[in-house]
Amino acid sequence: MDIVPYLLLATLEGLVQASVLMLTALGLSLVFGVMRVVNVSHGEFFMLGAVAAWVCANLIPGPPYVPFIAALLIAPVFVGALAWAADWAILKRINYNPEATIVSTIGLMYIIQQMTLITFGPDAQAVDAPFYYTVRFPWFGYSGYKFFIIAVAIVLVGGLLYLLRHSKVGLYMRATQFDKETAQNFGIPVTKVYSGVFAVGAMLAAIGGVLVVPSQQAHYLMGHDPLLLSFVVVIVGGLGSIPGTIAAAILIGMSDGLLSVFFSPTLAKIFSTLLVALVLVFRPQGLFGKAGR
Amino acid sequence: MDTIDIKKNLTLPRRSLLKGMAAAGTVLAAPGIIGRAVAQSGDVIKLGAPFHRTGIGAAYGRWYERTALAAVKLINEQGGINGLPVELIIEDDGTDPKRGVEAVEKFSAEHKVDAIFGHLFSHVSAASAPRAGELKMPYFLCSEAHSLAAGAFNRYVFQPSISDVKSQVSSMAPWITDNLGKKVTMIYPDYAFGYDHRDNLTAAIKAQGGEIVGDIAIPPTETSYTRYLPRIPFNTEVIYHVLVGPGVLTFVKELGEHLGSQRPEIFGFIDSLEAVSFDIPQLAYLDGTHFWEAMPRYAQPNQTSFDKLYREKVGVDANGASVDDAKSVATFSHMFSVWETLFAMKKAMEMADYKGPKQKIAMLEAMESITGFEESNEFPQGRKIFNGKMHQSFAQQNISKVVDGKLKVVHTVSPEDTLYPDEADYTKMSF
């Protein structure tokens, strides 16, 4: 293949990767930014989204786009409710203590994984895409559905940013993130904000899972990679910085696309790990993070 | 927010902690205690079956288990082995080498089984086989890796049913170069099983005057493949694919999207689509491509009575799907090896009048003295040549074409044509 089609394919792959990463990493970043909770079970929320899409595809009749749209609505609600319950039952009880939340979300990760294994089974399950359309370039064909993933991610992230900057809920969240105690003194229901943020973070991951499942397959172990990459993005972008997360998602997603098409996916993983190491050494607060607040 | 004392919440009183540990210990030990109380060696022949119930081999594991249960039921209905009933003890190895070894150890130390059979994925069997040898535990593979025949294992390890990759690949290569093309691009999993394909196909294609123009190794846990596909060179005449794991359907789908109608010839190993139905829209483009099959998934016009009985006992219909659920497609081209391996073990045990571990060596020597198996209810896949020195069987291979969403056998390679010179002599090893 010549360089031009190669580059085009790499860019497309990178953009799809970046879109999904943006959603999952934003969830992780939001939870950390506002609550100072490192959510290790974030990848499982992603996986639950994919599994929910499969359940919808099996229970809801009609052409493939009907269960898919249903899954886009049902999966985040279900996963959000689960996250809300987890916040109430676990995180609140341990007072959001940083070390304890890490250990308990690791526990939560295994519980969700094993429950999925018991109910959903160990097989990888395919889900039909809402539509089939192959975009034919002169050199190769590319799934039209993947363009749809990019579009949905842009709309969702745009919506979230607008919500954060221009709504009362967003103000509450930013106030809680900036200074928890002062926010509480001003009458902001911090505990409710925490529960809400944890749920929203999980919902973003779930939407990522629903979007990915027609181009991959639902599998109970699929949460591992998105979790790892989301951590990479959040560390590189700066913990808790939303613009940083978006920029880092695009950087990591694109570099992953380009490197893995031109060289090998393993090299792409090495690169992202190296980037994390360099960022931690030379700019521990992340590329966009603010130091020591 | 009110502050909660973390220490208070996380510390258990020592007494209740100890109590809890004691209770948990008793519960954990219980299966072992009960297990030992029920069966004693000499009353029953206990066979350990480590299957891939979870992990990337789960689809295979489910069907291996179903096939093994059907075979054991049939054996027991026919009076067991040497008058002793056969008991199956199944452990999940998670398609994980470490857990595979643990299962072998558990079968040996706790369940005290007579023999172990059933590992498929080569990275699991590669780890488990040496441990079985150390524990002097007869270990029967239902895998395809070439390691055993190449002499990498030990005297306790046998593969009496399915043939190894080397004999599969080298015996089919002439058909590929004669009928599909001489410039081949290989796409294979990046571990032992894939390397067997790479090494043996490269040699076999070269021997036919062909050339490997592309060589793409894909990590076994990969879920997205588009990024690998640009590496298929434009002058490729044949794409040779063999992949296993959760993402294979995605691979085939993305290959279809990427290549479109201007595709080269495609020759795949059915491993890429075991347990996957062919008549789904994503796979429509595979029509007209070819697959290797050890045992044809779809009942062929010349179906033998043996194939018929085997399908009936395992509960598989003429399309290779479960009789109770047409959506549940079998790993048909591999799972026969569990059935046949059980009957091969039975034959060796009968030859040695096996009643318990005292006749273990005699049983292993009997196995080594076997020269083959005839096509029968016990060996429905077909006649086999067994090489007692290499501990490996050689069987017929089928090449099938996808026609209207079904697989139709177009070429069959006889067991004799799959032979290659001996690479090992396990009979020279001590027990």
Side-chain angles (χ1 to χ4, degrees):
Chain A
M1 227 186 238
D2 297 329
I3 188 79
V4 175
Y6 235 120
L7 201 64
L8 177 64
L9 185 87
T11 313
L12 288 174
E13 278 291 282
L15 278 176
V16 174
Q17 174 91 333
S19 308
V20 178
L21 251 183
M22 209 152 62
L23 287 175
T24 49
L26 263 184
L28 196 68
S29 179
L30 203 63
V31 167
F32 182 82
V34 177
M35 306 167 69
R36 292 286 177 270
V37 166
V38 177
N39 179 20
V40 184
S41 58
H42 197 64
E44 302 329 297
F45 291 137
F46 175 87
M47 176 269 286
L48 281 180
V51 169
W54 179 79
V55 172
C56 286
N58 274 277
L59 294 183
I60 300 171
Y65 65 85
V66 176
F68 182 80
I69 292 170
L72 265 183
L73 301 172
I74 295 170
V77 172
F78 165 70
V79 173
L82 186 79
W84 184 291
D87 174 73
W88 175 82
I90 305 167
L91 300 181
K92 197 187 276 182
R93 315 279 149 186
I94 53 176
N95 205 16
Y96 302 101
N97 171 281
E99 287 91 2
T101 49
I102 291 181
V103 176
S104 55
T105 52
I106 290 176
L108 188 62
M109 173 183 84
Y110 283 119
I111 292 169
I112 295 176
Q113 211 173 72
Q114 292 304 309
M115 289 305 287
T116 314
L117 173 63
I118 291 166
T119 51
F120 168 75
D123 295 331
Q125 304 282 4
V127 176
D128 268 347
F131 59 91
Y132 276 100
Y133 182 73
T134 305
V135 181
R136 281 254 133 245
F137 295 100
W139 317 276
F140 61 83
Y142 200 73
S143 159
Y145 175 73
K146 287 188 176 173
F147 287 102
F148 173 75
I149 297 183
I150 300 173
V152 173
I154 291 173
V155 169
L156 278 174
V157 171
L160 185 78
L161 278 184
Y162 182 83
L163 205 74
L164 278 176
R165 295 214 169 127
H166 301 286
S167 75
K168 204 171 173 188
V169 176
L171 184 71
Y172 279 8
M173 275 158 71
R174 279 181 293 138
T176 311
Q177 172 169 10
F178 195 75
D179 189 335
K180 189 172 75 182
E181 270 128 36
T182 315
Q184 201 162 18
N185 291 341
F186 275 90
I188 289 175
V190 169
T191 14
K192 276 192 187 149
V193 171
Y194 274 22
S195 308
V197 165
F198 198 64
V200 169
M203 287 164 95
L204 284 171
I207 294 173
V210 176
L211 286 176
V212 145
V213 79
S215 70
Q216 294 185 2
Q217 292 180 60
H219 189 235
Y220 77 105
L221 295 173
M222 71 189 291
H224 187 71
D225 278 359
L227 175 73
L228 227 62
L229 273 177
S230 299
F231 268 126
V232 168
V233 165
V234 170
I235 292 171
V236 170
L239 289 168
S241 156
I242 304 286
T245 305
I246 295 172
I250 295 170
L251 174 71
I252 300 284
M254 290 304 291
S255 74
D256 191 81
L258 289 165
L259 286 174
S260 56
V261 169
F262 279 102
F263 302 99
S264 91
T266 315
L267 187 74
K269 288 201 178 81
I270 294 172
F271 172 77
S272 55
T273 316
L274 195 69
L275 195 64
V276 166
L278 289 174
V279 165
L280 286 177
V281 171
F282 294 106
R283 212 180 142 76
Q285 71 273 33
L287 296 180
F288 292 75
K290 294 185 189 83
R293 194 170 51 212
Chain B
M1 189 185 303
D2 37 352
T3 49
I4 302 166
D5 186 355
I6 305 282
K7 264 190 187 162
K8 199 173 136 196
N9 269 317
L10 291 182
T11 336
L12 274 168
R14 184 174 298 168
R15 186 179 297 237
S16 63
L17 183 70
L18 285 175
K19 257 193 210 165
M21 280 168 69
T26 316
V27 172
L28 284 174
I33 296 165
I34 297 163
R36 271 186 281 277
V38 175
Q40 292 181 353
S41 67
D43 305 337
V44 62
I45 288 179
K46 287 202 279 187
L47 299 178
F51 289 145
H52 310 321
R53 269 182 177 158
T54 53
I56 58 168
Y60 287 93
R62 188 173 72 242
W63 281 98
Y64 269 39
E65 192 166 330
R66 188 161 162 169
T67 311
L69 289 171
V72 166
K73 186 165 176 265
L74 186 64
I75 290 173
N76 283 334
E77 281 167 6
Q78 293 169 347
I81 298 176
N82 296 326
L84 299 174
V86 177
E87 187 193 328
L88 208 57
I89 301 167
I90 298 165
E91 289 278 347
D92 176 22
D93 61 27
T95 329
D96 177 54
K98 193 166 157 278
R99 283 179 62 184
V101 175
E102 282 166 6
V104 168
E105 288 168 348
K106 196 171 175 189
F107 283 132
S108 171
E110 189 182 310
H111 300 302
K112 304 205 186 320
V113 298
D114 294 273
I116 297 171
F117 75 103
H119 269 149
L120 163 69
F121 274 55
S122 63
H123 59 317
V124 183
S125 61
S128 306
R131 190 72 186 118
E134 286 163 9
L135 295 168
K136 302 196 181 299
M137 172 60 72
Y139 177 72
F140 296 83
L141 291 172
C142 297
S143 176
E144 295 161 281
H146 177 55
S147 321
L148 174 69
F153 294 155
N154 53 69
R155 204 165 178 184
Y156 288 85
V157 187
F158 291 86
Q159 173 123 307
S161 171
I162 200 165
S163 51
D164 72 324
V165 170
K166 181 167 184 173
S167 79
Q168 294 167 356
V169 170
S170 53
S171 65
M172 287 183 305
W175 189 89
I176 295 174
T177 50
D178 287 351
N179 294 281
L180 303 180
K182 288 189 188 300
K183 291 194 163 80
V184 181
T185 292
M186 280 186 287
I187 304 176
Y188 56 90
D190 200 0
Y191 69 106
F193 173 70
Y195 304 153
D196 274 355
H197 277 272
R198 177 195 61 194
D199 298 345
N200 293 304
L201 186 79
T202 306
I205 293 289
K206 275 187 186 150
Q208 299 298 318
E211 186 192 348
I212 301 294
V213 291
D215 172 351
I216 306 172
I218 298 185
T221 50
E222 190 60 270
T223 50
S224 172
Y225 301 88
T226 303
R227 55 186 65 173
Y228 296 90
L229 303 179
R231 279 185 239 161
I232 301 171
F234 278 137
N235 64 350
T236 300
E237 290 170 1
V238 188
I239 291 176
Y240 174 96
H241 68 92
V242 50
L243 283 171
V244 286
V248 286
L249 181 62
T250 313
F251 164 72
V252 175
K253 204 174 70 186
E254 291 183 359
L255 191 67
E257 277 166 0
H258 186 81
L259 297 170
S261 55
Q262 299 296 313
R263 63 167 173 80
E265 292 288 348
I266 296 177
F267 185 93
F269 265 62
I270 194 67
D271 307 50
S272 299
L273 287 172
E274 281 282 48
V276 173
S277 174
F278 261 96
D279 51 359
I280 52 175
Q282 295 98 314
L283 297 184
Y285 101 105
L286 278 182
D287 225 51
T289 72
H290 293 84
F291 278 95
W292 163 85
E293 287 191 289
M295 188 167 187
R297 179 192 293 187
Y298 293 88
Q300 300 295 310
N302 60 350
Q303 185 193 24
T304 61
S305 62
F306 316 127
D307 182 87
K308 208 167 184 174
L309 178 107
Y310 165 74
R311 283 178 198 259
E312 188 189 308
K313 294 288 177 194
V314 183
V316 175
D317 65 15
N319 292 329
S322 170
V323 283
D324 346 292
D325 177 9
K327 275 188 179 171
S328 173
V329 177
T331 54
F332 203 78
S333 213
H334 291 81
M335 68 197 205
F336 72 87
S337 66
V338 178
W339 176 282
E340 293 191 346
T341 298
L342 272 164
F343 283 103
M345 288 156 78
K346 178 173 186 264
K347 183 172 179 181
M349 284 178 170
E350 285 170 352
M351 286 165 74
D353 196 25
Y354 186 91
K355 300 277 188 194
K358 278 183 188 159
Q359 291 87 37
K360 182 161 73 181
I361 304 295
M363 185 260 283
L364 295 172
E365 283 173 339
M367 193 84 210
E368 284 172 345
S369 73
I370 291 173
T371 54
F373 306 99
E374 283 309 312
E375 188 170 20
S376 56
N377 283 339
E378 289 78 26
F379 295 88
Q381 189 261 350
R383 183 170 59 87
K384 311 224 147 37
I385 298 168
F386 187 72
N387 182 327
K389 285 182 178 172
M390 292 203 286
H391 287 194
Q392 174 68 52
S393 246
F394 293 84
Q396 69 180 29
Q397 315 298 329
N398 301 294
I399 295 171
S400 301
K401 188 174 185 178
V402 187
V403 183
D404 301 328
K406 289 188 174 185
L407 287 159
K408 185 172 174 267
V409 176
V410 293
H411 182 72
T412 301
V413 182
S414 76
E416 281 76 9
D417 291 334
T418 72
L419 296 173
Y420 51 81
D422 287 5
E423 292 184 13
D425 188 354
Y426 287 110
T427 59
K428 288 197 177 129
M429 270 186 185
S430 60
F431 279 110

